[in-house]
Amino acid sequence: MSEMNVSTLSPKQTVDWLLGIFKLPDNKRMTAGIWGRAGEGKSDTVFQVAKLGGFEKVADIRVAVYDPSDLKGIPTVDDEKKFVKWLRDGQLLPTDPNAKWVLFLDEITSGSPLVMAMCYQLCLDGKLADYVLPSKCRIVWASNRKSDRGVVNQMPAPLRNRSVHINFENTVADWTDWALTKGKVRGDIIGYIRYKHDSLHHFENEMTAFPTPRTWTMLSTLLDTAPNKQIEMAYINGCVGKGHGSEFNGFQRICNNLPDLDAIIANPSTSNVDLKPDVMYALVGSLARKADDQNFDNIVTYAMRLNKEFQTLLCMDAIKLKPELKKTKAWTKVAVNIQDVVF
């Protein structure tokens, strides 16, 4: 497609958007279409919504690897009734009339034009030849855009017109919130992305490795294995490429040489707050991870000496990691300062 003349939504907004479509009455169901860059989290969002919506299963159909016969089935002769019937894979399309599945047609535009044409009736009417999709099932597809330079074919106009579309875009705020609370991504990676926003997703067509939300999450898992320095650098470069990798490695060194966190907590009124931005991004993330009901009052005292951005990051991260801190007097005190974020 030459132009994304549709709304751009963040992952959080996409959850609400997709839940709304899934909750339509069975006789008015519609197909949802999600466009976005590789590695942004489109698939994870679909699985998240399916869980929230109480669906039994997500049939993850990677359209690029299927032939028309995989979906439509193989024709066989019914000798008794004297006509042709179609044998289908029960793992792809549900056969129980009471099934509540999400059919996820992932990478739909990487499929052949013939396979995409087969989706016309499925996306509009929930049918494939003699097959009828159970009424409680829902359909959603995802695709990269042509500008993302993946393996993408032009989506036929009739198929586009059978779907409700959005452009999916992961923001730094959305991704770091997910990374902190659900993704369990390392603090040094979260701090670095907050410091270098453009490193969250930086597509470089000629480069083998480049940073995306997906590859930063992969890197976090690899670094948690505590590799030696040589292997660690190979992991970093292998996930996000040498350019971004060397910058992240420099940020790691900052994280490893932060001021004494225990000393800051013990002396919150006198500890240095006049630090470089890269140090502050690393510091507030580390302090948030140390917060508990015993030291949160001191951490808030230190936080309230910081500028609004770092004060907010430190206190909100602590609350997201340990929601029980909302019951403390310290939270009540600082919440007034950052009420534009909290309320």
Side-chain angles (χ1 to χ4, degrees), residues 208-240:
T208 301
F210 54 92
T212 67
R214 176 193 294 151
T215 56
W216 284 116
T217 305
M218 290 163 52
L219 177 58
S220 180
T221 300
L222 291 169
L223 294 183
D224 281 344
T225 65
N228 64 46
K229 289 297 180 183
Q230 185 178 14
I231 299 303
E232 179 182 89
M233 205 63 224
Y235 285 157
I236 294 171
N237 292 339
C239 287
V240 300

mmCIF file of all heavy atoms in Angstrom, residues 208-240:
data_model
loop_
_atom_site.group_PDB
_atom_site.id
_atom_site.type_symbol
_atom_site.label_atom_id
_atom_site.label_comp_id
_atom_site.label_asym_id
_atom_site.label_seq_id
_atom_site.Cartn_x
_atom_site.Cartn_y
_atom_site.Cartn_z
ATOM 1 N N THR A 208 22.420 -6.535 8.820
ATOM 2 C CA THR A 208 21.908 -7.858 9.196
ATOM 3 C C THR A 208 21.090 -7.774 10.478
ATOM 4 O O THR A 208 19.989 -8.316 10.571
ATOM 5 C CB THR A 208 23.078 -8.840 9.380
ATOM 6 O OG1 THR A 208 23.815 -8.927 8.162
ATOM 7 C CG2 THR A 208 22.569 -10.222 9.759
ATOM 8 N N ALA A 209 21.636 -7.127 11.487
ATOM 9 C CA ALA A 209 20.946 -6.987 12.772
ATOM 10 C C ALA A 209 20.591 -5.522 13.004
ATOM 11 O O ALA A 209 21.388 -4.631 12.700
ATOM 12 C CB ALA A 209 21.838 -7.501 13.902
ATOM 13 N N PHE A 210 19.409 -5.275 13.531
ATOM 14 C CA PHE A 210 18.998 -3.913 13.840
ATOM 15 C C PHE A 210 18.012 -3.964 15.013
ATOM 16 O O PHE A 210 17.357 -4.988 15.247
ATOM 17 C CB PHE A 210 18.365 -3.212 12.624
ATOM 18 C CG PHE A 210 17.226 -3.949 11.997
ATOM 19 C CD1 PHE A 210 15.925 -3.705 12.390
ATOM 20 C CD2 PHE A 210 17.460 -4.898 10.999
ATOM 21 C CE1 PHE A 210 14.860 -4.384 11.810
ATOM 22 C CE2 PHE A 210 16.401 -5.581 10.415
ATOM 23 C CZ PHE A 210 15.098 -5.323 10.815
ATOM 24 N N PRO A 211 17.928 -2.873 15.785
ATOM 25 C CA PRO A 211 17.114 -2.898 16.998
ATOM 26 C C PRO A 211 15.617 -2.770 16.737
ATOM 27 O O PRO A 211 15.181 -1.947 15.930
ATOM 28 C CB PRO A 211 17.633 -1.691 17.791
ATOM 29 C CG PRO A 211 18.154 -0.756 16.754
ATOM 30 C CD PRO A 211 18.690 -1.612 15.638
ATOM 31 N N THR A 212 14.852 -3.598 17.416
ATOM 32 C CA THR A 212 13.396 -3.521 17.454
ATOM 33 C C THR A 212 12.980 -3.909 18.869
ATOM 34 O O THR A 212 13.788 -4.455 19.631
ATOM 35 C CB THR A 212 12.731 -4.502 16.464
ATOM 36 O OG1 THR A 212 12.997 -5.849 16.908
ATOM 37 C CG2 THR A 212 13.247 -4.332 15.040
ATOM 38 N N PRO A 213 11.739 -3.651 19.271
ATOM 39 C CA PRO A 213 11.290 -4.145 20.572
ATOM 40 C C PRO A 213 11.541 -5.643 20.739
ATOM 41 O O PRO A 213 11.893 -6.104 21.826
ATOM 42 C CB PRO A 213 9.787 -3.821 20.549
ATOM 43 C CG PRO A 213 9.710 -2.578 19.729
ATOM 44 C CD PRO A 213 10.719 -2.783 18.625
ATOM 45 N N ARG A 214 11.379 -6.396 19.660
ATOM 46 C CA ARG A 214 11.603 -7.840 19.724
ATOM 47 C C ARG A 214 13.063 -8.175 20.042
ATOM 48 O O ARG A 214 13.350 -9.011 20.909
ATOM 49 C CB ARG A 214 11.202 -8.480 18.397
ATOM 50 C CG ARG A 214 11.489 -9.978 18.329
ATOM 51 C CD ARG A 214 11.375 -10.455 16.888
ATOM 52 N NE ARG A 214 10.022 -10.347 16.388
ATOM 53 C CZ ARG A 214 9.705 -10.154 15.122
ATOM 54 N NH1 ARG A 214 10.664 -10.020 14.209
ATOM 55 N NH2 ARG A 214 8.448 -10.083 14.747
ATOM 56 N N THR A 215 14.004 -7.505 19.335
ATOM 57 C CA THR A 215 15.412 -7.878 19.531
ATOM 58 C C THR A 215 15.961 -7.375 20.863
ATOM 59 O O THR A 215 16.846 -8.006 21.442
ATOM 60 C CB THR A 215 16.289 -7.367 18.369
ATOM 61 O OG1 THR A 215 16.129 -5.943 18.224
ATOM 62 C CG2 THR A 215 15.900 -8.044 17.060
ATOM 63 N N TRP A 216 15.423 -6.270 21.391
ATOM 64 C CA TRP A 216 15.843 -5.841 22.734
ATOM 65 C C TRP A 216 15.370 -6.854 23.777
ATOM 66 O O TRP A 216 16.091 -7.147 24.741
ATOM 67 C CB TRP A 216 15.288 -4.452 23.050
ATOM 68 C CG TRP A 216 16.002 -3.325 22.374
ATOM 69 C CD1 TRP A 216 15.493 -2.456 21.443
ATOM 70 C CD2 TRP A 216 17.374 -2.924 22.554
ATOM 71 N NE1 TRP A 216 16.447 -1.555 21.036
ATOM 72 C CE2 TRP A 216 17.623 -1.812 21.708
ATOM 73 C CE3 TRP A 216 18.420 -3.389 23.356
ATOM 74 C CZ2 TRP A 216 18.856 -1.169 21.637
ATOM 75 C CZ3 TRP A 216 19.658 -2.760 23.288
ATOM 76 C CH2 TRP A 216 19.868 -1.658 22.444
ATOM 77 N N THR A 217 14.177 -7.390 23.589
ATOM 78 C CA THR A 217 13.673 -8.406 24.522
ATOM 79 C C THR A 217 14.508 -9.680 24.418
ATOM 80 O O THR A 217 14.834 -10.313 25.440
ATOM 81 C CB THR A 217 12.197 -8.705 24.229
ATOM 82 O OG1 THR A 217 11.448 -7.482 24.259
ATOM 83 C CG2 THR A 217 11.616 -9.665 25.251
ATOM 84 N N MET A 218 14.858 -10.066 23.197
ATOM 85 C CA MET A 218 15.740 -11.227 23.011
ATOM 86 C C MET A 218 17.080 -11.009 23.710
ATOM 87 O O MET A 218 17.600 -11.901 24.393
ATOM 88 C CB MET A 218 15.971 -11.463 21.508
ATOM 89 C CG MET A 218 14.757 -11.963 20.748
ATOM 90 S SD MET A 218 14.911 -11.770 18.942
ATOM 91 C CE MET A 218 16.488 -12.542 18.605
ATOM 92 N N LEU A 219 17.630 -9.796 23.555
ATOM 93 C CA LEU A 219 18.924 -9.496 24.161
ATOM 94 C C LEU A 219 18.854 -9.586 25.676
ATOM 95 O O LEU A 219 19.778 -10.102 26.324
ATOM 96 C CB LEU A 219 19.384 -8.102 23.736
ATOM 97 C CG LEU A 219 20.697 -7.607 24.337
ATOM 98 C CD1 LEU A 219 21.843 -8.561 24.014
ATOM 99 C CD2 LEU A 219 21.023 -6.202 23.849
ATOM 100 N N SER A 220 17.774 -9.105 26.262
ATOM 101 C CA SER A 220 17.620 -9.186 27.712
ATOM 102 C C SER A 220 17.701 -10.633 28.192
ATOM 103 O O SER A 220 18.372 -10.938 29.186
ATOM 104 C CB SER A 220 16.278 -8.567 28.124
ATOM 105 O OG SER A 220 16.108 -8.625 29.520
ATOM 106 N N THR A 221 17.025 -11.517 27.494
ATOM 107 C CA THR A 221 17.057 -12.942 27.858
ATOM 108 C C THR A 221 18.474 -13.491 27.768
ATOM 109 O O THR A 221 18.930 -14.235 28.654
ATOM 110 C CB THR A 221 16.123 -13.743 26.927
ATOM 111 O OG1 THR A 221 14.794 -13.244 27.057
ATOM 112 C CG2 THR A 221 16.148 -15.225 27.271
ATOM 113 N N LEU A 222 19.195 -13.123 26.718
ATOM 114 C CA LEU A 222 20.563 -13.615 26.547
ATOM 115 C C LEU A 222 21.504 -13.071 27.619
ATOM 116 O O LEU A 222 22.340 -13.809 28.162
ATOM 117 C CB LEU A 222 21.087 -13.241 25.152
ATOM 118 C CG LEU A 222 20.426 -13.962 23.981
ATOM 119 C CD1 LEU A 222 20.832 -13.318 22.662
ATOM 120 C CD2 LEU A 222 20.806 -15.441 23.987
ATOM 121 N N LEU A 223 21.387 -11.795 27.938
ATOM 122 C CA LEU A 223 22.273 -11.203 28.942
ATOM 123 C C LEU A 223 22.007 -11.758 30.330
ATOM 124 O O LEU A 223 22.912 -11.784 31.175
ATOM 125 C CB LEU A 223 22.124 -9.681 28.939
ATOM 126 C CG LEU A 223 22.581 -8.960 27.670
ATOM 127 C CD1 LEU A 223 22.436 -7.450 27.825
ATOM 128 C CD2 LEU A 223 24.028 -9.320 27.315
ATOM 129 N N ASP A 224 20.796 -12.210 30.567
ATOM 130 C CA ASP A 224 20.474 -12.808 31.868
ATOM 131 C C ASP A 224 21.200 -14.131 32.098
ATOM 132 O O ASP A 224 21.212 -14.637 33.221
ATOM 133 C CB ASP A 224 18.965 -13.023 32.002
ATOM 134 C CG ASP A 224 18.230 -11.733 32.360
ATOM 135 O OD1 ASP A 224 18.898 -10.773 32.795
ATOM 136 O OD2 ASP A 224 16.991 -11.688 32.197
ATOM 137 N N THR A 225 21.801 -14.691 31.059
ATOM 138 C CA THR A 225 22.567 -15.932 31.220
ATOM 139 C C THR A 225 23.970 -15.660 31.734
ATOM 140 O O THR A 225 24.754 -16.593 31.920
ATOM 141 C CB THR A 225 22.668 -16.699 29.880
ATOM 142 O OG1 THR A 225 23.422 -15.915 28.933
ATOM 143 C CG2 THR A 225 21.286 -16.988 29.309
ATOM 144 N N ALA A 226 24.322 -14.386 31.968
ATOM 145 C CA ALA A 226 25.622 -13.973 32.497
ATOM 146 C C ALA A 226 26.793 -14.516 31.684
ATOM 147 O O ALA A 226 27.670 -15.206 32.201
ATOM 148 C CB ALA A 226 25.754 -14.399 33.970
ATOM 149 N N PRO A 227 26.857 -14.197 30.387
ATOM 150 C CA PRO A 227 27.963 -14.677 29.545
ATOM 151 C C PRO A 227 29.258 -13.923 29.862
ATOM 152 O O PRO A 227 29.234 -12.873 30.509
ATOM 153 C CB PRO A 227 27.479 -14.335 28.131
ATOM 154 C CG PRO A 227 26.617 -13.120 28.326
ATOM 155 C CD PRO A 227 25.926 -13.322 29.647
ATOM 156 N N ASN A 228 30.387 -14.467 29.383
ATOM 157 C CA ASN A 228 31.638 -13.720 29.542
ATOM 158 C C ASN A 228 31.609 -12.509 28.612
ATOM 159 O O ASN A 228 30.728 -12.374 27.762
ATOM 160 C CB ASN A 228 32.860 -14.609 29.289
ATOM 161 C CG ASN A 228 32.924 -15.130 27.851
ATOM 162 O OD1 ASN A 228 32.725 -14.372 26.893
ATOM 163 N ND2 ASN A 228 33.202 -16.415 27.688
ATOM 164 N N LYS A 229 32.574 -11.599 28.782
ATOM 165 C CA LYS A 229 32.545 -10.322 28.069
ATOM 166 C C LYS A 229 32.527 -10.488 26.558
ATOM 167 O O LYS A 229 31.827 -9.763 25.846
ATOM 168 C CB LYS A 229 33.742 -9.464 28.495
ATOM 169 C CG LYS A 229 33.629 -8.928 29.910
ATOM 170 C CD LYS A 229 32.435 -7.997 30.030
ATOM 171 C CE LYS A 229 32.289 -7.439 31.437
ATOM 172 N NZ LYS A 229 31.075 -6.590 31.568
ATOM 173 N N GLN A 230 33.313 -11.415 26.039
ATOM 174 C CA GLN A 230 33.372 -11.603 24.594
ATOM 175 C C GLN A 230 32.038 -12.088 24.040
ATOM 176 O O GLN A 230 31.535 -11.578 23.028
ATOM 177 C CB GLN A 230 34.481 -12.596 24.231
ATOM 178 C CG GLN A 230 34.679 -12.756 22.734
ATOM 179 C CD GLN A 230 35.815 -13.718 22.410
ATOM 180 O OE1 GLN A 230 36.286 -14.456 23.263
ATOM 181 N NE2 GLN A 230 36.255 -13.713 21.160
ATOM 182 N N ILE A 231 31.453 -13.068 24.713
ATOM 183 C CA ILE A 231 30.162 -13.598 24.274
ATOM 184 C C ILE A 231 29.057 -12.564 24.482
ATOM 185 O O ILE A 231 28.148 -12.422 23.653
ATOM 186 C CB ILE A 231 29.826 -14.906 25.016
ATOM 187 C CG1 ILE A 231 30.891 -15.978 24.716
ATOM 188 C CG2 ILE A 231 28.440 -15.406 24.605
ATOM 189 C CD1 ILE A 231 31.061 -16.286 23.232
ATOM 190 N N GLU A 232 29.145 -11.809 25.566
ATOM 191 C CA GLU A 232 28.154 -10.756 25.814
ATOM 192 C C GLU A 232 28.116 -9.766 24.660
ATOM 193 O O GLU A 232 27.042 -9.395 24.181
ATOM 194 C CB GLU A 232 28.481 -10.026 27.115
ATOM 195 C CG GLU A 232 27.508 -8.891 27.432
ATOM 196 C CD GLU A 232 27.886 -8.156 28.694
ATOM 197 O OE1 GLU A 232 28.657 -7.182 28.610
ATOM 198 O OE2 GLU A 232 27.409 -8.559 29.768
ATOM 199 N N MET A 233 29.298 -9.339 24.194
ATOM 200 C CA MET A 233 29.338 -8.375 23.098
ATOM 201 C C MET A 233 28.809 -8.997 21.813
ATOM 202 O O MET A 233 28.155 -8.324 21.006
ATOM 203 C CB MET A 233 30.774 -7.875 22.902
ATOM 204 C CG MET A 233 30.857 -6.511 22.249
ATOM 205 S SD MET A 233 30.101 -5.234 23.270
ATOM 206 C CE MET A 233 29.167 -4.321 22.042
ATOM 207 N N ALA A 234 29.056 -10.298 21.628
ATOM 208 C CA ALA A 234 28.530 -10.993 20.451
ATOM 209 C C ALA A 234 27.006 -11.051 20.509
ATOM 210 O O ALA A 234 26.330 -10.899 19.479
ATOM 211 C CB ALA A 234 29.118 -12.401 20.354
ATOM 212 N N TYR A 235 26.456 -11.273 21.704
ATOM 213 C CA TYR A 235 25.001 -11.268 21.863
ATOM 214 C C TYR A 235 24.433 -9.887 21.532
ATOM 215 O O TYR A 235 23.422 -9.755 20.823
ATOM 216 C CB TYR A 235 24.614 -11.634 23.298
ATOM 217 C CG TYR A 235 24.748 -13.087 23.662
ATOM 218 C CD1 TYR A 235 24.888 -13.486 24.995
ATOM 219 C CD2 TYR A 235 24.706 -14.089 22.693
ATOM 220 C CE1 TYR A 235 24.984 -14.826 25.346
ATOM 221 C CE2 TYR A 235 24.814 -15.427 23.034
ATOM 222 C CZ TYR A 235 24.955 -15.791 24.369
ATOM 223 O OH TYR A 235 25.054 -17.115 24.713
ATOM 224 N N ILE A 236 25.072 -8.848 22.069
ATOM 225 C CA ILE A 236 24.580 -7.480 21.857
ATOM 226 C C ILE A 236 24.591 -7.134 20.374
ATOM 227 O O ILE A 236 23.584 -6.688 19.811
ATOM 228 C CB ILE A 236 25.434 -6.472 22.654
ATOM 229 C CG1 ILE A 236 25.242 -6.687 24.160
ATOM 230 C CG2 ILE A 236 25.070 -5.038 22.272
ATOM 231 C CD1 ILE A 236 26.202 -5.889 25.024
ATOM 232 N N ASN A 237 25.742 -7.351 19.723
ATOM 233 C CA ASN A 237 25.850 -7.026 18.295
ATOM 234 C C ASN A 237 24.945 -7.904 17.452
ATOM 235 O O ASN A 237 24.395 -7.463 16.434
ATOM 236 C CB ASN A 237 27.297 -7.182 17.834
ATOM 237 C CG ASN A 237 28.211 -6.133 18.445
ATOM 238 O OD1 ASN A 237 27.757 -5.085 18.884
ATOM 239 N ND2 ASN A 237 29.503 -6.418 18.479
ATOM 240 N N GLY A 238 24.767 -9.154 17.868
ATOM 241 C CA GLY A 238 23.935 -10.083 17.107
ATOM 242 C C GLY A 238 22.459 -9.768 17.171
ATOM 243 O O GLY A 238 21.687 -10.155 16.289
ATOM 244 N N CYS A 239 22.044 -9.048 18.222
ATOM 245 C CA CYS A 239 20.627 -8.688 18.357
ATOM 246 C C CYS A 239 20.313 -7.315 17.783
ATOM 247 O O CYS A 239 19.283 -7.140 17.118
ATOM 248 C CB CYS A 239 20.211 -8.729 19.834
ATOM 249 S SG CYS A 239 20.043 -10.383 20.515
ATOM 250 N N VAL A 240 21.173 -6.329 18.041
ATOM 251 C CA VAL A 240 20.823 -4.953 17.660
ATOM 252 C C VAL A 240 21.832 -4.313 16.717
ATOM 253 O O VAL A 240 21.647 -3.162 16.305
ATOM 254 C CB VAL A 240 20.652 -4.059 18.921
ATOM 255 C CG1 VAL A 240 19.551 -4.612 19.804
ATOM 256 C CG2 VAL A 240 21.959 -3.917 19.693
#
